[in-house]
Amino acid sequence: MKWFGRRDADLRDEMEQHVGIETDENIARGMTPEEARDAALRKFGSVSAARETLREERPMYRLETLLQDVRYGVRSLSRSPFLTIAVILTLGLGVGLDTAVFTLVNGMLFRPRIEKNPETFVQLRPEYSEGFISQWFPSTTTLEDFNAYRTRARSVGDFSAWALARGTVENDLEQDIHLLVTCNFFSFYGLERPALGRFFDAQECENPAAGSVVVIPDEMWRARFAADPHIIGRTISLNGRPFTVVGVTPPRFVGHLKSGLWIPWSMQPVFYKGEDFFRKSDEPWLTVEGRLQPGYSVSEANAELSTILSQQDRLHPERRTKLRLTNGSFSQEPGQGLAVAGAALLWMGMLTLLLLLACTNVTMLLLSRGSARKREMATRLALGASRGRILAMLFTEGLILAGAAGLLSAYLAYRVPDILAGLSKAWPYYSVKPDWLVFTYLCCITLVAACMAGLAPAVESLRVDLAASLKGRGGWFGGMDPRSNPRGVLIGVQVAMSLILLIAAGLLARTQYRLLNFDDGLDGRQLLVVRMQSGRQASAALRHRVEQQVAMIPGVRRVSFAAALPVASANVERVKQNGALRAASVNFVTAEYFQTVSIPFLLGGPFAESGYTNGGSPIVVSEKFARSFWPGENPVGKTLEDSKGKRLEVMGVARSIGAEVVSSGDGPLFYRMLDKEGTGQMLVRVAGDPSAVAVAIRAQLREIDPEMVVACSTMRELIADWASRMEAIVGVVLFLGCVAVVLAVTGIYGVVAFSVRNRTKEIGIRVALGATHARIIRSVVVAGVRPVFVGLACGLTISFAGAVGLAKVAQEAPYAIGVFDPLIFVAGPVLLCGAAVAAMFVPARWAAASHPMDALRQD
Amino acid sequence: MLVLQTLVFGPKHGHGIATTIEQTSDQVILVDHGSLYPALQRLERGGLIDSDWGTSENNRRARFYKLTRAGRKKLAVETSKWEKIVGAVSRILKPATEDLS
C-alpha cells in the first residue's frame, strides 16, 4: 500500500499533460490552438475541483485539517483573551479544586493511612467477649494471638503491630501519645531508611533492658530540639526515664500521631504502670496490621485469621472472639460509619455545587461567545465551508479550552491537597495522593460539558439565516437583553449556588471566631483544667486530699471539680416540672465551681456544704433555665423532679454562660452537686503565672499517687486546641466560598459584557438621541439585576433549609455551630448583590462611553 | 472496474484510459476527465495499479498506469460479481416481458 500520495506538483503536471494530449488531438481534428485548448479544458472538467478532491483523499488530510483547526482555534481564542482566560480559569479551578478537596476527604476518611501499597494493607479489629475485653484500648489483640497469627497465617504476611503509650517528653506539662512498635513497623509503612541514624534493631525490640531507645519524627526534631545536629545519641527523658535517640524519620511520614515518637514494644511495661503484657500474654493491647499475600482476598484472610483466633479461643474457656479485617481507614473504624457517611455527603454536596457553578459559568461564557460569532459562521458558510468542517473546527476550539483547563486542574489537584493538609498542625499526616479514578471521572464530565457548551452555539449558529446574520440580526440571543430567558436563568442559578456556599462558609467562620474569642469573663488564661486518671479506686478521701493539697499551693485561689467544662456540651437529662417532662442539660459540680469559673449569682447562692435540704438535692439553675421554667418568678426555693423521681430544690440562679448561647443545646443548663466520690475534672483558679502553678500541681499529685496520669492546661489553651481542629476545615470552606463568589461575579461580568457589546448599536442610537451616561448605566444594571434577585431569593431559601438540616447534625459537635446567625444570612446576599452590581457596572460604563458613530458604523 | 478493464491489455496514461472508456462504450459512458484522477489515486493507493512516468505518442511526458497482480484478481472478482447481478436482473425482467406477450 502506498501511504504517501504523490506530491501536488506531480499531479498537477500529470493533469496538465492530460489536457495537453487532448489539445493535440483537437488540433489534429482541425481546431485552432486556442479552441483546442478550451475544448480540452472543458472536457476535463474543473481542474481545481479535481485537485481539491485529490487533496482531500490524501491520507494526511485529516491530520492537516486538525492542525489547521488548532491554529484557527488558537487565533480565534486569542482574539478574545479575557473570555478565554476566564473559561480556562473557571474550568481549571472548578475541576482542580474539586478533585483536590475530594482527595483530601478521601485520604482522611476512606483510605488507609499508609502510602506504600494501600490495597494490601489490612488491620485487625478483634472483639473479645465479655470479661476478656481490654481495659486499655478497644479492638486490640493479645500477644499470644499475635504470635499465633504470625506463625500460622498464610493469607497475610508481614505482620506488624503498634500500641499507644502516654508519656511526657522532657518537661512537658501535657502528655503526648506515642507509639510502641515492633521492629518491622517502619519498613511495613514503606520507610526503608530513616533521615538520620537508624531504626530499632532486634536486640532492642526483644530485650526490655536494651530497649531504652526512641526514634523521633522530623517535626519533633525541628520544633523541639531545634534541629540539633547531635541528636543521634542524645538522651531525652520520657516519663522521667532516660531514652536515647537513635533515629529521625524524614518529614511528612504518615506513620505517626501528632507530636508522638516511637519506642520499641519491648518497653511496654514502662508505660502501662508496670503491667507486663509479655508475661501476661492474654491481655489485649496491640493493634495488629498485616499485608495480604498475593492471591488472597480480604474475605479469605478474614476467614483464615478468624479460624486461628477461634483455635486460640479454646485456650481460654468461655472466650469467644469475632474478628474484622478493615482496610485501616477511618471510615471503617467500628462505630464511625455513620459519621463518616454524613461528613462525606456534606463535603461532596459542596464540591458538586462548586463544580456545577463552574460549568454553568463556562456554558454562559461560551454561549455568549457563540452568539457573537454568528456573523463569522455565516460568512464561512457562504464561502463554501461544509457544516461538518465548521463543526470540527468549533469542536477543536472546545478541546483546546478543555485541554488548557485540564492542565490547570491537574496541577491544582496535585499541589492543593498537600497545602490543605498542611494547614492544620493538629492533624496527623494523611496520604494525599490524588485519586486518579476520581480525577478522570471529573475530567470527562467537564470535557463533555465544555464540548457541549462549545457545540451548542455551533449547532445553533449553523441553523443560520444567512442574510439576517450578516446584518447582525436574528438568532438566539438576538434580543440581546439580559432579561431574555436562557441567560437570565443561568445568572440566577449561579447566584443562588454562590450564595449557598458563601453562607455556609460564613457560618463556619463565625463560629470559629466566636469560639476563639470566647472568654466571657471566665478569664480562661488564669483557669487551669487538670484531668487526672488514677489507677486507684476513686474515693471521697482521695478527692478531699487532692483538693486540700492543691489548695495549699501558692497562687491557687480556688479549687473545684466538675463533670463537664464550661464550654463543652453537658449531659442531657429530663426533669419534671409539675408533672410535665422537659429536656435540660446538666453539669455535676462541686460548690466552689461557680467561684472558680467566675460565674456570678443573680439570686440565691451555691449549694451548702451539707448538700441536702428537706430530703431533696440542691441544684443551681442558669438564668436561661429560670426564664424558661419560671418566667417572671423567683425560682429560689422552687422544686423539680428528676427522671428518677428525686426532688430537686433550687438554691440559686447563676448567670448564663456563653456556652449556652453558643451551643444548639438540648435545653437550658442547671447544675447538680457532684457526688463525694466523683472526680471529673479539676478546675483551679490561679493568680500569677499559670505554668508555674501547673508544675507545682503536677508535683503534688505525683506525691499523692505516683502512678496518676495527669494532663494540665489552661482553659484558653483547651479552647484554642479545639478550635485548631476545626481550623483547617473552616479554612477550606471559606476558600470554597470565595472561589464561588469569584466564579459568580466573573460569570455575570462576562455575560453582561457580551450583551452590552451586542447592544452597541442600540445604545449608540440612544446616546445619539440624547440619553445621558447615567441613564444608560442604569438601564443596563436594572435589567441585569432582576435575575440576580431571583437567584438570591432561591439561594436564601435553600441555605435556610440546609441550615435547619445542619443544626440537627451539628448537635454532635463539642461546641455548636450557630446556624441561625442573622448576620451571615443578611451579609451574604448583600455582599453578593453588591459584587454582582459592580460586575455589571463596568461594562455598563463602557457602553455609555461609546461613541454613537462607532456604534452605528459597527454594522 | 472499468478503469481496471481498460488496463488489461497494457499500460495506458490517464488521457488514454478516459478516451478508451468513452470509445469502447460508444459514447454511452462519458467520463469527466477531471474526476478520473482521484479514482486513479484511490486505485493506486489500494495497490491495484502501478504508475510510472513515460513518453506518450505525441512525445509528451505522461504518467502510465498498469495493472498489478492484485489488480487483475480484483478485476476478475468484480467482473464476475457484475455478471451475476446483470444475469439476475435480466432473468427478472425477461419473464415479465414473456408474460405480457
Side-chain angles (χ1 to χ4, degrees), chain A residues 1-2 6 10-11 13-15 17-18 20-22 24-25 43-45 50 53-54 57 59, chain B residues 13-15 22 32-34 37-38 41-42 44-45 50-51 53 56 58 60-63 65:
Chain A
M1 287 230 190
K2 288 198 191 155
R6 294 185 349 245
D10 214 29
L11 286 162
D13 200 10
E14 186 184 345
M15 289 193 282
Q17 293 299 331
H18 182 125
I21 297 175
E22 182 68 19
D24 289 342
E25 285 186 8
K43 194 129 185 250
F44 193 85
T53 324
L54 278 168
E57 293 191 355
Chain B
H13 55 64
H15 186 264
E22 286 174 351
D32 186 4
H33 290 206
Y37 283 93
Q41 276 283 48
R42 264 179 258 136
E44 185 168 3
R45 239 183 285 131
D50 244 344
S51 71
W53 283 109
S56 79
N58 320 23
R60 279 189 181 269
R61 224 166 85 88
R63 199 150 180 129
Y65 293 89

Short mmCIF file of all heavy atoms in Angstrom, two decimals, chain A residues 1-2 6 10-11 13-15 17-18 20-22 24-25 43-45 50 53-54 57 59, chain B residues 13-15 22 32-34 37-38 41-42 44-45 50-51 53 56 58 60-63 65:
data_model
loop_
_atom_site.label_atom_id
_atom_site.label_comp_id
_atom_site.label_asym_id
_atom_site.label_seq_id
_atom_site.Cartn_x
_atom_site.Cartn_y
_atom_site.Cartn_z
N MET A 1 0.84 -1.20 0.00
CA MET A 1 0.00 0.00 0.00
C MET A 1 0.86 1.24 0.00
O MET A 1 1.83 1.31 0.73
CB MET A 1 -0.84 0.02 1.27
CG MET A 1 -1.92 -0.98 1.25
SD MET A 1 -3.42 -0.12 1.71
CE MET A 1 -4.50 -1.51 1.93
N LYS A 2 0.49 2.16 -0.78
CA LYS A 2 1.30 3.38 -0.78
C LYS A 2 0.63 4.37 0.14
O LYS A 2 -0.50 4.81 -0.07
CB LYS A 2 1.33 3.94 -2.20
CG LYS A 2 2.18 3.11 -3.12
CD LYS A 2 2.55 3.90 -4.36
CE LYS A 2 3.17 2.97 -5.38
NZ LYS A 2 3.03 3.46 -6.74
N ARG A 6 1.13 11.06 -4.03
CA ARG A 6 2.14 11.79 -4.78
C ARG A 6 2.00 13.27 -4.55
O ARG A 6 0.94 13.76 -4.22
CB ARG A 6 2.02 11.41 -6.25
CG ARG A 6 2.39 9.95 -6.38
CD ARG A 6 2.46 9.43 -7.77
NE ARG A 6 1.93 10.26 -8.80
CZ ARG A 6 0.87 9.92 -9.53
NH1 ARG A 6 0.23 8.82 -9.28
NH2 ARG A 6 0.47 10.71 -10.48
N ASP A 10 3.47 17.03 -8.81
CA ASP A 10 3.47 15.86 -9.67
C ASP A 10 2.11 15.69 -10.35
O ASP A 10 2.00 15.55 -11.57
CB ASP A 10 3.76 14.64 -8.80
CG ASP A 10 4.56 13.60 -9.53
OD1 ASP A 10 5.34 13.99 -10.42
OD2 ASP A 10 4.37 12.41 -9.23
N LEU A 11 1.07 15.74 -9.53
CA LEU A 11 -0.27 15.52 -10.04
C LEU A 11 -0.67 16.63 -11.00
O LEU A 11 -1.31 16.40 -12.02
CB LEU A 11 -1.26 15.46 -8.87
CG LEU A 11 -1.19 14.17 -8.06
CD1 LEU A 11 -1.85 14.35 -6.71
CD2 LEU A 11 -1.84 13.04 -8.82
N ASP A 13 1.24 18.40 -12.80
CA ASP A 13 1.96 18.14 -14.03
C ASP A 13 1.23 17.12 -14.88
O ASP A 13 1.00 17.31 -16.09
CB ASP A 13 3.35 17.62 -13.66
CG ASP A 13 4.34 17.79 -14.79
OD1 ASP A 13 3.99 18.49 -15.79
OD2 ASP A 13 5.45 17.23 -14.70
N GLU A 14 0.84 16.04 -14.25
CA GLU A 14 0.18 14.97 -14.99
C GLU A 14 -1.11 15.44 -15.63
O GLU A 14 -1.40 15.15 -16.79
CB GLU A 14 -0.08 13.81 -14.03
CG GLU A 14 -0.65 12.59 -14.74
CD GLU A 14 -0.99 11.48 -13.76
OE1 GLU A 14 -0.52 11.58 -12.59
OE2 GLU A 14 -1.71 10.56 -14.14
N MET A 15 -1.85 16.21 -14.81
CA MET A 15 -3.13 16.67 -15.35
C MET A 15 -2.90 17.66 -16.49
O MET A 15 -3.65 17.69 -17.48
CB MET A 15 -3.97 17.29 -14.24
CG MET A 15 -4.46 16.21 -13.29
SD MET A 15 -5.75 16.79 -12.19
CE MET A 15 -4.77 17.67 -11.01
N GLN A 17 -0.49 17.59 -18.54
CA GLN A 17 -0.13 16.76 -19.69
C GLN A 17 -1.38 16.17 -20.34
O GLN A 17 -1.50 16.11 -21.56
CB GLN A 17 0.80 15.61 -19.26
CG GLN A 17 2.15 16.06 -18.79
CD GLN A 17 2.90 16.79 -19.88
OE1 GLN A 17 2.73 16.56 -21.09
NE2 GLN A 17 3.76 17.71 -19.48
N HIS A 18 -2.29 15.72 -19.48
CA HIS A 18 -3.54 15.15 -19.97
C HIS A 18 -4.26 16.14 -20.86
O HIS A 18 -4.68 15.83 -21.98
CB HIS A 18 -4.39 14.75 -18.74
CG HIS A 18 -5.69 14.11 -19.10
ND1 HIS A 18 -6.03 12.87 -18.59
CD2 HIS A 18 -6.71 14.50 -19.87
CE1 HIS A 18 -7.23 12.53 -19.05
NE2 HIS A 18 -7.67 13.51 -19.82
N GLY A 20 -2.96 18.59 -22.29
CA GLY A 20 -2.12 18.77 -23.48
C GLY A 20 -2.42 17.74 -24.57
O GLY A 20 -2.55 18.07 -25.75
N ILE A 21 -2.51 16.49 -24.16
CA ILE A 21 -2.77 15.41 -25.12
C ILE A 21 -4.09 15.67 -25.84
O ILE A 21 -4.21 15.54 -27.07
CB ILE A 21 -2.80 14.04 -24.45
CG1 ILE A 21 -1.42 13.73 -23.86
CG2 ILE A 21 -3.21 12.96 -25.43
CD1 ILE A 21 -1.36 12.46 -23.07
N GLU A 22 -5.10 16.02 -25.06
CA GLU A 22 -6.41 16.27 -25.63
C GLU A 22 -6.35 17.44 -26.61
O GLU A 22 -6.94 17.41 -27.69
CB GLU A 22 -7.40 16.55 -24.50
CG GLU A 22 -8.83 16.79 -24.95
CD GLU A 22 -9.51 15.57 -25.54
OE1 GLU A 22 -9.03 14.46 -25.29
OE2 GLU A 22 -10.51 15.74 -26.25
N ASP A 24 -3.77 18.43 -28.27
CA ASP A 24 -3.12 17.95 -29.51
C ASP A 24 -4.12 17.27 -30.42
O ASP A 24 -4.18 17.53 -31.62
CB ASP A 24 -1.99 16.96 -29.18
CG ASP A 24 -0.80 17.67 -28.53
OD1 ASP A 24 -0.72 18.92 -28.66
OD2 ASP A 24 0.03 16.98 -27.91
N GLU A 25 -4.92 16.39 -29.81
CA GLU A 25 -5.91 15.67 -30.63
C GLU A 25 -6.89 16.62 -31.28
O GLU A 25 -7.27 16.46 -32.44
CB GLU A 25 -6.66 14.65 -29.77
CG GLU A 25 -5.83 13.42 -29.45
CD GLU A 25 -6.64 12.38 -28.72
OE1 GLU A 25 -7.87 12.56 -28.61
OE2 GLU A 25 -6.06 11.39 -28.27
N LYS A 43 -13.56 19.52 -21.56
CA LYS A 43 -13.75 18.08 -21.46
C LYS A 43 -13.22 17.55 -20.13
O LYS A 43 -13.76 16.64 -19.55
CB LYS A 43 -12.97 17.41 -22.60
CG LYS A 43 -13.35 15.97 -22.82
CD LYS A 43 -13.68 15.71 -24.27
CE LYS A 43 -14.19 14.29 -24.42
NZ LYS A 43 -13.23 13.47 -25.13
N PHE A 44 -12.16 18.19 -19.71
CA PHE A 44 -11.53 17.71 -18.48
C PHE A 44 -12.40 17.95 -17.26
O PHE A 44 -12.37 17.21 -16.29
CB PHE A 44 -10.17 18.41 -18.33
CG PHE A 44 -9.30 17.79 -17.28
CD1 PHE A 44 -8.50 16.70 -17.58
CD2 PHE A 44 -9.31 18.27 -16.00
CE1 PHE A 44 -7.69 16.12 -16.63
CE2 PHE A 44 -8.50 17.70 -15.02
CZ PHE A 44 -7.68 16.62 -15.35
N GLY A 45 -13.16 19.01 -17.37
CA GLY A 45 -13.92 19.35 -16.17
C GLY A 45 -13.11 20.31 -15.33
O GLY A 45 -12.11 20.84 -15.74
N ALA A 50 -10.91 18.91 -9.23
CA ALA A 50 -10.20 17.63 -9.19
C ALA A 50 -9.05 17.69 -8.19
O ALA A 50 -8.83 16.76 -7.40
CB ALA A 50 -9.65 17.31 -10.57
N THR A 53 -10.42 17.43 -4.69
CA THR A 53 -10.78 16.07 -4.30
C THR A 53 -9.55 15.24 -4.05
O THR A 53 -9.50 14.46 -3.09
CB THR A 53 -11.60 15.40 -5.42
OG1 THR A 53 -12.44 16.39 -6.01
CG2 THR A 53 -12.43 14.27 -4.87
N LEU A 54 -8.56 15.42 -4.94
CA LEU A 54 -7.33 14.66 -4.76
C LEU A 54 -6.71 14.97 -3.41
O LEU A 54 -6.27 14.09 -2.69
CB LEU A 54 -6.33 15.02 -5.87
CG LEU A 54 -6.55 14.28 -7.17
CD1 LEU A 54 -5.72 14.89 -8.28
CD2 LEU A 54 -6.19 12.82 -6.99
N GLU A 57 -8.41 13.42 -0.52
CA GLU A 57 -8.29 11.98 -0.33
C GLU A 57 -6.92 11.56 0.14
O GLU A 57 -6.68 10.40 0.38
CB GLU A 57 -8.64 11.28 -1.65
CG GLU A 57 -10.10 11.48 -1.97
CD GLU A 57 -10.54 10.60 -3.10
OE1 GLU A 57 -9.68 9.92 -3.68
OE2 GLU A 57 -11.75 10.62 -3.39
N PRO A 59 -3.98 10.68 2.55
CA PRO A 59 -4.08 10.12 3.89
C PRO A 59 -3.76 11.11 4.98
O PRO A 59 -4.28 11.02 6.08
CB PRO A 59 -3.06 8.98 3.88
CG PRO A 59 -2.21 9.19 2.68
CD PRO A 59 -2.99 9.98 1.71
N HIS B 13 -1.88 5.88 -20.31
CA HIS B 13 -1.87 7.08 -19.49
C HIS B 13 -3.31 7.56 -19.26
O HIS B 13 -4.24 7.05 -19.91
CB HIS B 13 -0.98 8.16 -20.11
CG HIS B 13 -1.34 8.50 -21.52
ND1 HIS B 13 -2.55 9.07 -21.88
CD2 HIS B 13 -0.63 8.35 -22.66
CE1 HIS B 13 -2.57 9.25 -23.18
NE2 HIS B 13 -1.41 8.83 -23.70
N GLY B 14 -3.44 8.56 -18.39
CA GLY B 14 -4.76 8.99 -17.96
C GLY B 14 -5.70 9.32 -19.11
O GLY B 14 -6.83 8.86 -19.18
N HIS B 15 -5.17 10.10 -20.03
CA HIS B 15 -6.00 10.51 -21.17
C HIS B 15 -6.46 9.29 -21.97
O HIS B 15 -7.62 9.18 -22.39
CB HIS B 15 -5.19 11.45 -22.04
CG HIS B 15 -6.01 12.04 -23.16
ND1 HIS B 15 -6.01 11.50 -24.43
CD2 HIS B 15 -6.86 13.09 -23.17
CE1 HIS B 15 -6.82 12.23 -25.19
NE2 HIS B 15 -7.35 13.19 -24.45
N GLU B 22 -14.64 5.88 -23.21
CA GLU B 22 -15.69 6.54 -23.99
C GLU B 22 -15.90 5.86 -25.32
O GLU B 22 -17.04 5.58 -25.72
CB GLU B 22 -15.31 8.00 -24.23
CG GLU B 22 -15.47 8.84 -22.96
CD GLU B 22 -14.95 10.24 -23.14
OE1 GLU B 22 -14.32 10.52 -24.19
OE2 GLU B 22 -15.17 11.07 -22.23
N ASP B 32 -15.91 12.25 -16.94
CA ASP B 32 -15.42 13.57 -16.58
C ASP B 32 -13.93 13.41 -16.33
O ASP B 32 -13.52 12.87 -15.31
CB ASP B 32 -16.15 14.05 -15.33
CG ASP B 32 -15.78 15.48 -15.00
OD1 ASP B 32 -15.02 16.10 -15.78
OD2 ASP B 32 -16.25 15.98 -13.96
N HIS B 33 -13.13 13.88 -17.28
CA HIS B 33 -11.70 13.57 -17.19
C HIS B 33 -11.10 13.96 -15.85
O HIS B 33 -10.23 13.28 -15.33
CB HIS B 33 -10.94 14.27 -18.30
CG HIS B 33 -11.24 13.69 -19.64
ND1 HIS B 33 -10.36 13.75 -20.69
CD2 HIS B 33 -12.32 13.02 -20.09
CE1 HIS B 33 -10.88 13.14 -21.75
NE2 HIS B 33 -12.07 12.70 -21.42
N GLY B 34 -11.57 15.08 -15.34
CA GLY B 34 -11.01 15.52 -14.07
C GLY B 34 -11.23 14.52 -12.95
O GLY B 34 -10.34 14.24 -12.16
N TYR B 37 -8.85 11.31 -12.12
CA TYR B 37 -7.61 11.28 -11.33
C TYR B 37 -7.78 10.87 -9.88
O TYR B 37 -7.01 10.05 -9.37
CB TYR B 37 -6.87 12.62 -11.48
CG TYR B 37 -6.19 12.67 -12.80
CD1 TYR B 37 -6.82 13.24 -13.91
CD2 TYR B 37 -4.95 12.06 -12.98
CE1 TYR B 37 -6.21 13.22 -15.14
CE2 TYR B 37 -4.34 12.03 -14.20
CZ TYR B 37 -4.98 12.61 -15.30
OH TYR B 37 -4.39 12.58 -16.52
N PRO B 38 -8.77 11.41 -9.19
CA PRO B 38 -8.98 10.89 -7.82
C PRO B 38 -9.19 9.39 -7.80
O PRO B 38 -8.66 8.69 -6.94
CB PRO B 38 -10.23 11.63 -7.35
CG PRO B 38 -10.26 12.87 -8.15
CD PRO B 38 -9.67 12.52 -9.49
N GLN B 41 -5.92 7.69 -8.17
CA GLN B 41 -5.21 7.77 -6.90
C GLN B 41 -5.67 6.68 -5.95
O GLN B 41 -4.88 6.03 -5.30
CB GLN B 41 -5.48 9.12 -6.23
CG GLN B 41 -4.62 10.25 -6.71
CD GLN B 41 -3.24 10.17 -6.10
OE1 GLN B 41 -2.60 9.12 -6.09
NE2 GLN B 41 -2.77 11.28 -5.57
N ARG B 42 -6.98 6.53 -5.85
CA ARG B 42 -7.52 5.54 -4.93
C ARG B 42 -7.08 4.15 -5.31
O ARG B 42 -6.66 3.35 -4.47
CB ARG B 42 -9.05 5.61 -4.94
CG ARG B 42 -9.60 6.45 -3.82
CD ARG B 42 -11.10 6.54 -3.85
NE ARG B 42 -11.50 7.81 -4.41
CZ ARG B 42 -12.48 7.94 -5.31
NH1 ARG B 42 -13.13 6.90 -5.76
NH2 ARG B 42 -12.80 9.13 -5.75
N GLU B 44 -4.48 3.37 -7.00
CA GLU B 44 -3.04 3.21 -6.79
C GLU B 44 -2.74 3.00 -5.32
O GLU B 44 -1.93 2.16 -4.94
CB GLU B 44 -2.31 4.46 -7.30
CG GLU B 44 -0.81 4.28 -7.21
CD GLU B 44 -0.09 5.35 -7.98
OE1 GLU B 44 -0.76 6.26 -8.51
OE2 GLU B 44 1.15 5.29 -8.04
N ARG B 45 -3.44 3.78 -4.46
CA ARG B 45 -3.21 3.62 -3.04
C ARG B 45 -3.64 2.25 -2.56
O ARG B 45 -3.10 1.70 -1.63
CB ARG B 45 -3.95 4.70 -2.25
CG ARG B 45 -2.98 5.53 -1.43
CD ARG B 45 -3.66 6.55 -0.59
NE ARG B 45 -4.12 7.68 -1.36
CZ ARG B 45 -5.36 8.16 -1.27
NH1 ARG B 45 -6.23 7.63 -0.46
NH2 ARG B 45 -5.71 9.18 -2.01
N ASP B 50 -0.25 0.29 -10.74
CA ASP B 50 1.08 0.88 -10.54
C ASP B 50 1.27 1.99 -11.55
O ASP B 50 0.70 1.93 -12.66
CB ASP B 50 2.15 -0.18 -10.78
CG ASP B 50 2.92 -0.46 -9.52
OD1 ASP B 50 2.82 0.36 -8.59
OD2 ASP B 50 3.60 -1.51 -9.45
N SER B 51 2.09 2.96 -11.24
CA SER B 51 2.26 4.04 -12.21
C SER B 51 3.72 4.42 -12.36
O SER B 51 4.52 4.21 -11.47
CB SER B 51 1.45 5.26 -11.79
OG SER B 51 2.06 5.84 -10.67
N TRP B 53 6.37 7.32 -14.87
CA TRP B 53 6.46 8.29 -15.95
C TRP B 53 6.94 7.63 -17.24
O TRP B 53 7.73 6.72 -17.24
CB TRP B 53 7.47 9.40 -15.58
CG TRP B 53 6.89 10.39 -14.61
CD1 TRP B 53 7.22 10.54 -13.32
CD2 TRP B 53 5.89 11.37 -14.87
NE1 TRP B 53 6.50 11.54 -12.73
CE2 TRP B 53 5.65 12.07 -13.67
CE3 TRP B 53 5.15 11.72 -16.01
CZ2 TRP B 53 4.73 13.10 -13.56
CZ3 TRP B 53 4.22 12.76 -15.89
CH2 TRP B 53 4.01 13.44 -14.67
N SER B 56 4.42 9.72 -24.20
CA SER B 56 3.21 9.34 -24.92
C SER B 56 3.49 9.34 -26.43
O SER B 56 4.59 9.60 -26.87
CB SER B 56 2.09 10.31 -24.59
OG SER B 56 2.29 11.50 -25.34
N ASN B 58 2.52 11.42 -28.66
CA ASN B 58 2.90 12.72 -29.21
C ASN B 58 4.19 13.22 -28.58
O ASN B 58 4.43 14.43 -28.53
CB ASN B 58 1.82 13.77 -28.95
CG ASN B 58 0.45 13.22 -29.12
OD1 ASN B 58 0.24 12.00 -29.02
ND2 ASN B 58 -0.50 14.07 -29.39
N ARG B 60 4.83 13.53 -25.53
CA ARG B 60 4.60 14.29 -24.30
C ARG B 60 4.94 13.40 -23.11
O ARG B 60 4.80 12.20 -23.17
CB ARG B 60 3.12 14.67 -24.19
CG ARG B 60 2.79 15.90 -25.02
CD ARG B 60 1.37 16.33 -24.68
NE ARG B 60 1.00 17.49 -25.47
CZ ARG B 60 1.19 18.74 -25.06
NH1 ARG B 60 1.72 18.99 -23.89
NH2 ARG B 60 0.83 19.75 -25.83
N ARG B 61 5.33 14.07 -22.04
CA ARG B 61 5.60 13.30 -20.82
C ARG B 61 4.24 12.95 -20.21
O ARG B 61 3.42 13.81 -19.98
CB ARG B 61 6.39 14.14 -19.84
CG ARG B 61 7.53 13.41 -19.18
CD ARG B 61 8.42 14.44 -18.51
NE ARG B 61 7.90 14.75 -17.18
CZ ARG B 61 8.25 14.02 -16.10
NH1 ARG B 61 9.06 12.99 -16.21
NH2 ARG B 61 7.77 14.34 -14.93
N ALA B 62 4.02 11.66 -19.99
CA ALA B 62 2.75 11.29 -19.38
C ALA B 62 2.98 10.15 -18.39
O ALA B 62 3.97 9.43 -18.49
CB ALA B 62 1.75 10.84 -20.45
N ARG B 63 2.08 10.07 -17.46
CA ARG B 63 2.22 9.02 -16.47
C ARG B 63 1.42 7.81 -16.91
O ARG B 63 0.23 7.90 -17.15
CB ARG B 63 1.68 9.52 -15.13
CG ARG B 63 2.23 8.68 -14.04
CD ARG B 63 2.37 9.47 -12.75
NE ARG B 63 2.90 8.56 -11.76
CZ ARG B 63 3.96 8.83 -11.01
NH1 ARG B 63 4.57 9.97 -11.14
NH2 ARG B 63 4.38 7.96 -10.15
N TYR B 65 -0.19 4.01 -16.37
CA TYR B 65 -0.69 3.14 -15.30
C TYR B 65 -0.77 1.72 -15.81
O TYR B 65 -1.15 1.48 -16.94
CB TYR B 65 -2.09 3.59 -14.89
CG TYR B 65 -2.10 4.94 -14.24
CD1 TYR B 65 -2.23 6.10 -15.02
CD2 TYR B 65 -1.96 5.09 -12.86
CE1 TYR B 65 -2.22 7.33 -14.42
CE2 TYR B 65 -1.95 6.33 -12.27
CZ TYR B 65 -2.08 7.45 -13.06
OH TYR B 65 -2.07 8.68 -12.48
#
